[in-house]
Amino acid sequence: MLSTKRLFVKITLVLCMFLLYPAQAKEREYRVGDTGRMLGFSKVENELAINPCLDEGMIRAKYADQGVQYARENLKKYPPNLCTNKQTLSLLSNWHYNASALVANSERPFILGREIAKNYALLKDCTTVDCLGKRLPRMLEWSKTTLSRTPITSRDVQPLFMGGAPIGHPQLALRGLQLPLSQQKEICGSEDLASLRFATSTLVVSGRALAVVTCHDKKRLGTWLLERSENKGQWKEILVLPGFEDVAVLPNNRELHPHIFYKQKQGATEIMTILRYSEAFGYQKRIQFELDFDAYGLAHAFNIQVF
């Protein structure tokens, strides 16, 4: 009969194997840099942004001749013989994968976006596979370490939209507010108080009162974020955003004024724009990218623009 100690060790080993198996299986199945495997993105441009050497037969089967033509044009951006150098291709594909995941998931997308842009510029200067092979290992190690420390928000988690509960008597609750708001007539069609809806804010800033304003007419879209400090009675606009209402708070952010974001559809593509606060200008657009998800639900950023 097993002793209590030996039984405990045996059960622990079995549990460890059970917990580790899914991660190991996923790692074996999910090989970034495999030319015969797509990663599950919504379009061929994003697949090739990670791995420019995907098998043409596989591309043609899913995206027809148009996809193959794009793949051939895209490959011209890289040094000759990249696709025959499996080690360098693997480094490059994994770098692309980690870099795009970092920007889409980080609470510091502007800082990481700038760093990644610098690294991409270094790679763009490479005219040989040997040059890529020398520069990629350091970049890949940095991206792996940084991604491992980045909290990942599940695709299924609903965003925390900025607008909270309705404010029933804005004349009293927002005493001192001066109307009209900036661009109010253009956005809401009128400069009257009745053309506006007021709500509390789910975004919390220590020592500040906040209110979210949208148009009363639901066919007209726009958002204002108003702020009042504890020491001053005047409300000021820290966000004016024509054309959008569904503004959300970026998860895992630790700034005094948390970053906020909104999404927009352009055909089948979803564009995500993230805004950052400054005392001088309020919330301003700082980074924008195309958002897509791989087969395992991990978000990635493509066509990144840092402002």
Side-chain angles (χ1 to χ4, degrees), residues 209-254:
L210 299 170
V212 178
V213 187
T214 54
C215 297
H216 191 271
D217 182 350
K218 294 185 178 181
K219 294 179 182 178
R220 293 180 172 270
L221 299 178
T223 300
W224 292 263
L225 182 61
L226 309 178
E227 179 183 84
R228 185 181 67 185
S229 67
E230 289 182 343
N231 301 326
K232 298 179 181 178
Q234 186 140 10
W235 290 88
K236 66 175 183 177
E237 300 170 8
I238 61 172
L239 171 68
V240 181
L241 186 62
F244 298 95
E245 273 194 8
D246 293 334
V247 183
V249 183
L250 192 70
N252 305 312
N253 193 251
R254 296 185 289 272

mmCIF file of all heavy atoms in Angstrom, residues 209-254:
data_model
loop_
_atom_site.group_PDB
_atom_site.id
_atom_site.type_symbol
_atom_site.label_atom_id
_atom_site.label_comp_id
_atom_site.label_asym_id
_atom_site.label_seq_id
_atom_site.Cartn_x
_atom_site.Cartn_y
_atom_site.Cartn_z
ATOM 1 N N ALA A 209 -14.668 64.845 -11.007
ATOM 2 C CA ALA A 209 -16.016 64.417 -11.383
ATOM 3 C C ALA A 209 -16.082 64.362 -12.906
ATOM 4 O O ALA A 209 -15.533 65.234 -13.589
ATOM 5 C CB ALA A 209 -17.044 65.402 -10.836
ATOM 6 N N LEU A 210 -16.750 63.343 -13.449
ATOM 7 C CA LEU A 210 -16.816 63.147 -14.894
ATOM 8 C C LEU A 210 -18.257 62.948 -15.340
ATOM 9 O O LEU A 210 -19.078 62.391 -14.597
ATOM 10 C CB LEU A 210 -15.991 61.926 -15.315
ATOM 11 C CG LEU A 210 -14.489 61.966 -15.025
ATOM 12 C CD1 LEU A 210 -13.875 60.600 -15.267
ATOM 13 C CD2 LEU A 210 -13.804 63.002 -15.892
ATOM 14 N N ALA A 211 -18.559 63.384 -16.538
ATOM 15 C CA ALA A 211 -19.871 63.153 -17.137
ATOM 16 C C ALA A 211 -19.696 62.897 -18.630
ATOM 17 O O ALA A 211 -18.844 63.513 -19.282
ATOM 18 C CB ALA A 211 -20.784 64.346 -16.906
ATOM 19 N N VAL A 212 -20.505 61.979 -19.160
ATOM 20 C CA VAL A 212 -20.478 61.639 -20.581
ATOM 21 C C VAL A 212 -21.708 62.250 -21.243
ATOM 22 O O VAL A 212 -22.824 62.125 -20.734
ATOM 23 C CB VAL A 212 -20.466 60.113 -20.785
ATOM 24 C CG1 VAL A 212 -20.490 59.760 -22.263
ATOM 25 C CG2 VAL A 212 -19.236 59.491 -20.112
ATOM 26 N N VAL A 213 -21.498 62.888 -22.384
ATOM 27 C CA VAL A 213 -22.587 63.549 -23.103
ATOM 28 C C VAL A 213 -22.674 62.978 -24.515
ATOM 29 O O VAL A 213 -21.653 62.823 -25.196
ATOM 30 C CB VAL A 213 -22.368 65.071 -23.174
ATOM 31 C CG1 VAL A 213 -23.594 65.755 -23.776
ATOM 32 C CG2 VAL A 213 -22.072 65.653 -21.793
ATOM 33 N N THR A 214 -23.891 62.652 -24.942
ATOM 34 C CA THR A 214 -24.147 62.197 -26.312
ATOM 35 C C THR A 214 -25.381 62.938 -26.828
ATOM 36 O O THR A 214 -26.005 63.720 -26.104
ATOM 37 C CB THR A 214 -24.385 60.675 -26.370
ATOM 38 O OG1 THR A 214 -25.439 60.330 -25.454
ATOM 39 C CG2 THR A 214 -23.128 59.908 -25.985
ATOM 40 N N CYS A 215 -25.728 62.689 -28.077
ATOM 41 C CA CYS A 215 -26.887 63.355 -28.681
ATOM 42 C C CYS A 215 -28.187 62.671 -28.254
ATOM 43 O O CYS A 215 -28.261 61.438 -28.174
ATOM 44 C CB CYS A 215 -26.791 63.334 -30.198
ATOM 45 S SG CYS A 215 -25.378 64.249 -30.865
ATOM 46 N N HIS A 216 -29.220 63.477 -28.012
ATOM 47 C CA HIS A 216 -30.529 62.919 -27.680
ATOM 48 C C HIS A 216 -31.115 62.184 -28.883
ATOM 49 O O HIS A 216 -31.766 61.148 -28.736
ATOM 50 C CB HIS A 216 -31.471 64.039 -27.229
ATOM 51 C CG HIS A 216 -32.736 63.531 -26.628
ATOM 52 N ND1 HIS A 216 -33.870 63.247 -27.380
ATOM 53 C CD2 HIS A 216 -33.054 63.217 -25.341
ATOM 54 C CE1 HIS A 216 -34.819 62.798 -26.580
ATOM 55 N NE2 HIS A 216 -34.352 62.767 -25.341
ATOM 56 N N ASP A 217 -30.864 62.709 -30.071
ATOM 57 C CA ASP A 217 -31.284 62.055 -31.307
ATOM 58 C C ASP A 217 -30.315 60.904 -31.593
ATOM 59 O O ASP A 217 -29.150 61.119 -31.902
ATOM 60 C CB ASP A 217 -31.263 63.064 -32.459
ATOM 61 C CG ASP A 217 -31.741 62.468 -33.783
ATOM 62 O OD1 ASP A 217 -31.919 61.237 -33.862
ATOM 63 O OD2 ASP A 217 -31.926 63.238 -34.747
ATOM 64 N N LYS A 218 -30.796 59.685 -31.499
ATOM 65 C CA LYS A 218 -29.916 58.512 -31.623
ATOM 66 C C LYS A 218 -29.365 58.311 -33.028
ATOM 67 O O LYS A 218 -28.449 57.513 -33.235
ATOM 68 C CB LYS A 218 -30.656 57.250 -31.157
ATOM 69 C CG LYS A 218 -30.970 57.277 -29.666
ATOM 70 C CD LYS A 218 -31.581 55.977 -29.193
ATOM 71 C CE LYS A 218 -31.828 56.021 -27.690
ATOM 72 N NZ LYS A 218 -32.414 54.757 -27.183
ATOM 73 N N LYS A 219 -29.936 59.031 -33.997
ATOM 74 C CA LYS A 219 -29.400 58.949 -35.353
ATOM 75 C C LYS A 219 -28.142 59.799 -35.510
ATOM 76 O O LYS A 219 -27.425 59.677 -36.503
ATOM 77 C CB LYS A 219 -30.459 59.399 -36.363
ATOM 78 C CG LYS A 219 -31.666 58.467 -36.429
ATOM 79 C CD LYS A 219 -32.689 58.975 -37.435
ATOM 80 C CE LYS A 219 -33.909 58.058 -37.467
ATOM 81 N NZ LYS A 219 -34.951 58.566 -38.399
ATOM 82 N N ARG A 220 -27.910 60.678 -34.562
ATOM 83 C CA ARG A 220 -26.720 61.536 -34.583
ATOM 84 C C ARG A 220 -25.712 61.011 -33.574
ATOM 85 O O ARG A 220 -26.073 60.754 -32.422
ATOM 86 C CB ARG A 220 -27.094 62.981 -34.255
ATOM 87 C CG ARG A 220 -27.959 63.641 -35.330
ATOM 88 C CD ARG A 220 -28.300 65.061 -34.958
ATOM 89 N NE ARG A 220 -28.962 65.775 -36.046
ATOM 90 C CZ ARG A 220 -28.338 66.467 -36.984
ATOM 91 N NH1 ARG A 220 -27.017 66.553 -36.966
ATOM 92 N NH2 ARG A 220 -29.016 67.091 -37.942
ATOM 93 N N LEU A 221 -24.479 60.853 -34.006
ATOM 94 C CA LEU A 221 -23.473 60.214 -33.157
ATOM 95 C C LEU A 221 -22.369 61.210 -32.789
ATOM 96 O O LEU A 221 -21.826 61.900 -33.652
ATOM 97 C CB LEU A 221 -22.856 59.015 -33.877
ATOM 98 C CG LEU A 221 -23.821 57.889 -34.254
ATOM 99 C CD1 LEU A 221 -23.075 56.794 -35.015
ATOM 100 C CD2 LEU A 221 -24.492 57.312 -33.013
ATOM 101 N N GLY A 222 -22.049 61.208 -31.526
ATOM 102 C CA GLY A 222 -20.956 62.032 -31.022
ATOM 103 C C GLY A 222 -20.833 61.836 -29.524
ATOM 104 O O GLY A 222 -21.795 61.448 -28.846
ATOM 105 N N THR A 223 -19.644 62.075 -28.999
ATOM 106 C CA THR A 223 -19.405 61.889 -27.563
ATOM 107 C C THR A 223 -18.544 63.030 -27.026
ATOM 108 O O THR A 223 -17.548 63.400 -27.644
ATOM 109 C CB THR A 223 -18.694 60.548 -27.291
ATOM 110 O OG1 THR A 223 -19.488 59.473 -27.765
ATOM 111 C CG2 THR A 223 -18.456 60.354 -25.794
ATOM 112 N N TRP A 224 -18.955 63.531 -25.888
ATOM 113 C CA TRP A 224 -18.119 64.465 -25.121
ATOM 114 C C TRP A 224 -17.850 63.844 -23.754
ATOM 115 O O TRP A 224 -18.711 63.167 -23.189
ATOM 116 C CB TRP A 224 -18.833 65.793 -24.877
ATOM 117 C CG TRP A 224 -19.062 66.648 -26.070
ATOM 118 C CD1 TRP A 224 -18.302 67.691 -26.505
ATOM 119 C CD2 TRP A 224 -20.175 66.571 -26.979
ATOM 120 N NE1 TRP A 224 -18.846 68.265 -27.620
ATOM 121 C CE2 TRP A 224 -20.003 67.588 -27.943
ATOM 122 C CE3 TRP A 224 -21.290 65.737 -27.089
ATOM 123 C CZ2 TRP A 224 -20.893 67.800 -28.979
ATOM 124 C CZ3 TRP A 224 -22.178 65.941 -28.125
ATOM 125 C CH2 TRP A 224 -21.977 66.957 -29.065
ATOM 126 N N LEU A 225 -16.658 64.067 -23.222
ATOM 127 C CA LEU A 225 -16.357 63.702 -21.841
ATOM 128 C C LEU A 225 -16.028 64.995 -21.109
ATOM 129 O O LEU A 225 -15.111 65.737 -21.498
ATOM 130 C CB LEU A 225 -15.179 62.727 -21.767
ATOM 131 C CG LEU A 225 -14.809 62.241 -20.363
ATOM 132 C CD1 LEU A 225 -15.973 61.492 -19.710
ATOM 133 C CD2 LEU A 225 -13.572 61.319 -20.411
ATOM 134 N N LEU A 226 -16.805 65.271 -20.079
ATOM 135 C CA LEU A 226 -16.641 66.489 -19.299
ATOM 136 C C LEU A 226 -15.989 66.160 -17.967
ATOM 137 O O LEU A 226 -16.254 65.113 -17.371
ATOM 138 C CB LEU A 226 -18.003 67.151 -19.043
ATOM 139 C CG LEU A 226 -18.899 67.380 -20.271
ATOM 140 C CD1 LEU A 226 -20.224 68.001 -19.849
ATOM 141 C CD2 LEU A 226 -18.197 68.246 -21.298
ATOM 142 N N GLU A 227 -15.157 67.088 -17.490
ATOM 143 C CA GLU A 227 -14.431 66.869 -16.235
ATOM 144 C C GLU A 227 -14.488 68.127 -15.377
ATOM 145 O O GLU A 227 -14.407 69.249 -15.885
ATOM 146 C CB GLU A 227 -12.972 66.511 -16.531
ATOM 147 C CG GLU A 227 -12.126 66.296 -15.283
ATOM 148 C CD GLU A 227 -10.669 66.020 -15.618
ATOM 149 O OE1 GLU A 227 -9.915 66.999 -15.817
ATOM 150 O OE2 GLU A 227 -10.310 64.841 -15.717
ATOM 151 N N ARG A 228 -14.611 67.903 -14.067
ATOM 152 C CA ARG A 228 -14.529 69.005 -13.111
ATOM 153 C C ARG A 228 -13.677 68.565 -11.934
ATOM 154 O O ARG A 228 -13.904 67.495 -11.360
ATOM 155 C CB ARG A 228 -15.918 69.415 -12.622
ATOM 156 C CG ARG A 228 -15.907 70.651 -11.706
ATOM 157 C CD ARG A 228 -17.299 71.001 -11.240
ATOM 158 N NE ARG A 228 -17.827 69.966 -10.360
ATOM 159 C CZ ARG A 228 -19.063 69.961 -9.870
ATOM 160 N NH1 ARG A 228 -19.911 70.912 -10.220
ATOM 161 N NH2 ARG A 228 -19.473 69.000 -9.068
ATOM 162 N N SER A 229 -12.686 69.366 -11.602
ATOM 163 C CA SER A 229 -11.835 69.017 -10.455
ATOM 164 C C SER A 229 -12.564 69.360 -9.170
ATOM 165 O O SER A 229 -13.537 70.127 -9.157
ATOM 166 C CB SER A 229 -10.512 69.783 -10.525
ATOM 167 O OG SER A 229 -10.735 71.155 -10.337
ATOM 168 N N GLU A 230 -12.082 68.806 -8.057
ATOM 169 C CA GLU A 230 -12.726 69.044 -6.768
ATOM 170 C C GLU A 230 -12.601 70.503 -6.337
ATOM 171 O O GLU A 230 -13.448 71.031 -5.632
ATOM 172 C CB GLU A 230 -12.102 68.133 -5.708
ATOM 173 C CG GLU A 230 -12.474 66.667 -5.876
ATOM 174 C CD GLU A 230 -11.875 65.795 -4.793
ATOM 175 O OE1 GLU A 230 -10.929 66.258 -4.131
ATOM 176 O OE2 GLU A 230 -12.345 64.668 -4.612
ATOM 177 N N ASN A 231 -11.529 71.162 -6.760
ATOM 178 C CA ASN A 231 -11.268 72.530 -6.308
ATOM 179 C C ASN A 231 -11.889 73.593 -7.200
ATOM 180 O O ASN A 231 -11.961 74.755 -6.815
ATOM 181 C CB ASN A 231 -9.751 72.776 -6.245
ATOM 182 C CG ASN A 231 -9.071 71.801 -5.297
ATOM 183 O OD1 ASN A 231 -9.646 71.427 -4.297
ATOM 184 N ND2 ASN A 231 -7.866 71.385 -5.640
ATOM 185 N N LYS A 232 -12.319 73.218 -8.403
ATOM 186 C CA LYS A 232 -12.868 74.191 -9.334
ATOM 187 C C LYS A 232 -14.277 73.788 -9.748
ATOM 188 O O LYS A 232 -14.541 72.623 -10.018
ATOM 189 C CB LYS A 232 -11.970 74.299 -10.579
ATOM 190 C CG LYS A 232 -10.566 74.794 -10.264
ATOM 191 C CD LYS A 232 -9.721 74.851 -11.537
ATOM 192 C CE LYS A 232 -8.303 75.312 -11.226
ATOM 193 N NZ LYS A 232 -7.446 75.340 -12.430
ATOM 194 N N GLY A 233 -15.165 74.762 -9.838
ATOM 195 C CA GLY A 233 -16.544 74.466 -10.177
ATOM 196 C C GLY A 233 -16.813 74.387 -11.658
ATOM 197 O O GLY A 233 -17.898 73.995 -12.067
ATOM 198 N N GLN A 234 -15.866 74.738 -12.496
ATOM 199 C CA GLN A 234 -16.104 74.794 -13.939
ATOM 200 C C GLN A 234 -15.885 73.428 -14.586
ATOM 201 O O GLN A 234 -14.912 72.742 -14.322
ATOM 202 C CB GLN A 234 -15.162 75.813 -14.577
ATOM 203 C CG GLN A 234 -15.460 76.032 -16.035
ATOM 204 C CD GLN A 234 -15.348 77.496 -16.426
ATOM 205 O OE1 GLN A 234 -14.880 78.304 -15.654
ATOM 206 N NE2 GLN A 234 -15.779 77.809 -17.629
ATOM 207 N N TRP A 235 -16.810 73.071 -15.475
ATOM 208 C CA TRP A 235 -16.663 71.855 -16.260
ATOM 209 C C TRP A 235 -15.867 72.168 -17.522
ATOM 210 O O TRP A 235 -16.056 73.216 -18.135
ATOM 211 C CB TRP A 235 -18.037 71.307 -16.661
ATOM 212 C CG TRP A 235 -18.806 70.755 -15.510
ATOM 213 C CD1 TRP A 235 -19.646 71.442 -14.686
ATOM 214 C CD2 TRP A 235 -18.806 69.413 -15.053
ATOM 215 N NE1 TRP A 235 -20.179 70.624 -13.732
ATOM 216 C CE2 TRP A 235 -19.680 69.349 -13.934
ATOM 217 C CE3 TRP A 235 -18.170 68.237 -15.458
ATOM 218 C CZ2 TRP A 235 -19.927 68.168 -13.238
ATOM 219 C CZ3 TRP A 235 -18.416 67.065 -14.772
ATOM 220 C CH2 TRP A 235 -19.280 67.032 -13.673
ATOM 221 N N LYS A 236 -15.001 71.258 -17.895
ATOM 222 C CA LYS A 236 -14.258 71.432 -19.143
ATOM 223 C C LYS A 236 -14.372 70.167 -19.987
ATOM 224 O O LYS A 236 -14.534 69.060 -19.465
ATOM 225 C CB LYS A 236 -12.789 71.760 -18.872
ATOM 226 C CG LYS A 236 -11.987 70.645 -18.221
ATOM 227 C CD LYS A 236 -10.515 71.038 -18.113
ATOM 228 C CE LYS A 236 -9.681 69.893 -17.523
ATOM 229 N NZ LYS A 236 -8.242 70.209 -17.463
ATOM 230 N N GLU A 237 -14.271 70.331 -21.294
ATOM 231 C CA GLU A 237 -14.331 69.208 -22.227
ATOM 232 C C GLU A 237 -12.938 68.599 -22.344
ATOM 233 O O GLU A 237 -11.992 69.273 -22.719
ATOM 234 C CB GLU A 237 -14.792 69.693 -23.600
ATOM 235 C CG GLU A 237 -16.158 70.331 -23.591
ATOM 236 C CD GLU A 237 -16.472 71.025 -24.914
ATOM 237 O OE1 GLU A 237 -15.693 70.879 -25.872
ATOM 238 O OE2 GLU A 237 -17.497 71.726 -24.978
ATOM 239 N N ILE A 238 -12.812 67.314 -22.024
ATOM 240 C CA ILE A 238 -11.525 66.635 -22.210
ATOM 241 C C ILE A 238 -11.586 65.621 -23.357
ATOM 242 O O ILE A 238 -10.588 64.995 -23.688
ATOM 243 C CB ILE A 238 -11.033 65.961 -20.911
ATOM 244 C CG1 ILE A 238 -12.012 64.897 -20.420
ATOM 245 C CG2 ILE A 238 -10.776 67.004 -19.830
ATOM 246 C CD1 ILE A 238 -11.480 64.073 -19.250
ATOM 247 N N LEU A 239 -12.760 65.491 -23.950
ATOM 248 C CA LEU A 239 -12.914 64.665 -25.159
ATOM 249 C C LEU A 239 -14.055 65.228 -25.985
ATOM 250 O O LEU A 239 -15.155 65.466 -25.465
ATOM 251 C CB LEU A 239 -13.222 63.208 -24.808
ATOM 252 C CG LEU A 239 -13.613 62.300 -25.991
ATOM 253 C CD1 LEU A 239 -12.410 62.076 -26.918
ATOM 254 C CD2 LEU A 239 -14.166 60.965 -25.515
ATOM 255 N N VAL A 240 -13.793 65.446 -27.259
ATOM 256 C CA VAL A 240 -14.833 65.779 -28.240
ATOM 257 C C VAL A 240 -14.634 64.816 -29.402
ATOM 258 O O VAL A 240 -13.613 64.856 -30.086
ATOM 259 C CB VAL A 240 -14.727 67.238 -28.734
ATOM 260 C CG1 VAL A 240 -15.844 67.527 -29.726
ATOM 261 C CG2 VAL A 240 -14.774 68.222 -27.578
ATOM 262 N N LEU A 241 -15.618 63.954 -29.626
ATOM 263 C CA LEU A 241 -15.451 62.890 -30.618
ATOM 264 C C LEU A 241 -16.683 62.802 -31.518
ATOM 265 O O LEU A 241 -17.653 62.110 -31.186
ATOM 266 C CB LEU A 241 -15.210 61.557 -29.906
ATOM 267 C CG LEU A 241 -14.865 60.356 -30.794
ATOM 268 C CD1 LEU A 241 -13.561 60.591 -31.553
ATOM 269 C CD2 LEU A 241 -14.750 59.080 -29.958
ATOM 270 N N PRO A 242 -16.682 63.487 -32.648
ATOM 271 C CA PRO A 242 -17.821 63.383 -33.569
ATOM 272 C C PRO A 242 -17.879 61.996 -34.210
ATOM 273 O O PRO A 242 -16.856 61.389 -34.511
ATOM 274 C CB PRO A 242 -17.504 64.447 -34.637
ATOM 275 C CG PRO A 242 -16.416 65.295 -34.061
ATOM 276 C CD PRO A 242 -15.656 64.413 -33.119
ATOM 277 N N GLY A 243 -19.111 61.505 -34.409
ATOM 278 C CA GLY A 243 -19.303 60.284 -35.182
ATOM 279 C C GLY A 243 -19.275 58.986 -34.401
ATOM 280 O O GLY A 243 -19.515 57.921 -34.973
ATOM 281 N N PHE A 244 -19.005 59.038 -33.096
ATOM 282 C CA PHE A 244 -18.891 57.798 -32.313
ATOM 283 C C PHE A 244 -19.547 57.952 -30.946
ATOM 284 O O PHE A 244 -19.462 59.007 -30.323
ATOM 285 C CB PHE A 244 -17.423 57.412 -32.115
ATOM 286 C CG PHE A 244 -16.709 57.135 -33.405
ATOM 287 C CD1 PHE A 244 -15.983 58.136 -34.035
ATOM 288 C CD2 PHE A 244 -16.779 55.887 -34.008
ATOM 289 C CE1 PHE A 244 -15.334 57.898 -35.236
ATOM 290 C CE2 PHE A 244 -16.131 55.637 -35.205
ATOM 291 C CZ PHE A 244 -15.408 56.648 -35.824
ATOM 292 N N GLU A 245 -20.200 56.860 -30.504
ATOM 293 C CA GLU A 245 -20.784 56.831 -29.161
ATOM 294 C C GLU A 245 -20.189 55.721 -28.303
ATOM 295 O O GLU A 245 -20.057 55.878 -27.094
ATOM 296 C CB GLU A 245 -22.307 56.646 -29.235
ATOM 297 C CG GLU A 245 -23.057 57.954 -29.388
ATOM 298 C CD GLU A 245 -24.544 57.800 -29.113
ATOM 299 O OE1 GLU A 245 -24.964 56.718 -28.650
ATOM 300 O OE2 GLU A 245 -25.278 58.768 -29.362
ATOM 301 N N ASP A 246 -19.868 54.597 -28.916
ATOM 302 C CA ASP A 246 -19.422 53.436 -28.139
ATOM 303 C C ASP A 246 -17.938 53.550 -27.819
ATOM 304 O O ASP A 246 -17.092 52.835 -28.364
ATOM 305 C CB ASP A 246 -19.712 52.146 -28.909
ATOM 306 C CG ASP A 246 -21.204 51.889 -29.048
ATOM 307 O OD1 ASP A 246 -21.958 52.373 -28.186
ATOM 308 O OD2 ASP A 246 -21.620 51.226 -30.005
ATOM 309 N N VAL A 247 -17.625 54.456 -26.914
ATOM 310 C CA VAL A 247 -16.245 54.659 -26.468
ATOM 311 C C VAL A 247 -16.049 53.836 -25.196
ATOM 312 O O VAL A 247 -16.887 53.881 -24.287
ATOM 313 C CB VAL A 247 -15.957 56.147 -26.196
ATOM 314 C CG1 VAL A 247 -14.501 56.352 -25.815
ATOM 315 C CG2 VAL A 247 -16.310 56.991 -27.415
ATOM 316 N N ALA A 248 -14.954 53.080 -25.132
ATOM 317 C CA ALA A 248 -14.739 52.158 -24.008
ATOM 318 C C ALA A 248 -13.405 52.436 -23.329
ATOM 319 O O ALA A 248 -12.528 53.113 -23.877
ATOM 320 C CB ALA A 248 -14.795 50.714 -24.506
ATOM 321 N N VAL A 249 -13.269 51.896 -22.131
ATOM 322 C CA VAL A 249 -12.051 52.059 -21.327
ATOM 323 C C VAL A 249 -11.099 50.912 -21.647
ATOM 324 O O VAL A 249 -11.501 49.744 -21.651
ATOM 325 C CB VAL A 249 -12.387 52.075 -19.821
ATOM 326 C CG1 VAL A 249 -11.129 52.308 -18.993
ATOM 327 C CG2 VAL A 249 -13.431 53.150 -19.515
ATOM 328 N N LEU A 250 -9.835 51.234 -21.936
ATOM 329 C CA LEU A 250 -8.855 50.197 -22.272
ATOM 330 C C LEU A 250 -8.561 49.344 -21.037
ATOM 331 O O LEU A 250 -8.243 49.881 -19.971
ATOM 332 C CB LEU A 250 -7.562 50.851 -22.777
ATOM 333 C CG LEU A 250 -6.554 49.912 -23.435
ATOM 334 C CD1 LEU A 250 -7.080 49.424 -24.783
ATOM 335 C CD2 LEU A 250 -5.208 50.621 -23.642
ATOM 336 N N PRO A 251 -8.660 48.013 -21.140
ATOM 337 C CA PRO A 251 -8.421 47.151 -19.965
ATOM 338 C C PRO A 251 -6.984 47.241 -19.458
ATOM 339 O O PRO A 251 -6.054 47.543 -20.214
ATOM 340 C CB PRO A 251 -8.703 45.739 -20.506
ATOM 341 C CG PRO A 251 -9.487 45.939 -21.759
ATOM 342 C CD PRO A 251 -9.049 47.248 -22.330
ATOM 343 N N ASN A 252 -6.826 46.982 -18.166
ATOM 344 C CA ASN A 252 -5.518 46.810 -17.510
ATOM 345 C C ASN A 252 -4.666 48.079 -17.483
ATOM 346 O O ASN A 252 -3.466 48.013 -17.209
ATOM 347 C CB ASN A 252 -4.707 45.687 -18.181
ATOM 348 C CG ASN A 252 -5.462 44.381 -18.243
ATOM 349 O OD1 ASN A 252 -6.028 43.953 -17.244
ATOM 350 N ND2 ASN A 252 -5.501 43.759 -19.413
ATOM 351 N N ASN A 253 -5.276 49.232 -17.762
ATOM 352 C CA ASN A 253 -4.493 50.469 -17.822
ATOM 353 C C ASN A 253 -4.342 51.076 -16.436
ATOM 354 O O ASN A 253 -5.279 51.091 -15.648
ATOM 355 C CB ASN A 253 -5.159 51.456 -18.774
ATOM 356 C CG ASN A 253 -4.247 52.615 -19.108
ATOM 357 O OD1 ASN A 253 -4.469 53.725 -18.673
ATOM 358 N ND2 ASN A 253 -3.188 52.357 -19.850
ATOM 359 N N ARG A 254 -3.150 51.621 -16.148
ATOM 360 C CA ARG A 254 -2.861 52.141 -14.813
ATOM 361 C C ARG A 254 -2.594 53.645 -14.801
ATOM 362 O O ARG A 254 -2.074 54.169 -13.831
ATOM 363 C CB ARG A 254 -1.663 51.388 -14.225
ATOM 364 C CG ARG A 254 -1.920 49.903 -14.002
ATOM 365 C CD ARG A 254 -0.760 49.231 -13.303
ATOM 366 N NE ARG A 254 0.390 49.116 -14.167
ATOM 367 C CZ ARG A 254 0.607 48.104 -14.994
ATOM 368 N NH1 ARG A 254 -0.269 47.125 -15.088
ATOM 369 N NH2 ARG A 254 1.701 48.059 -15.747
#
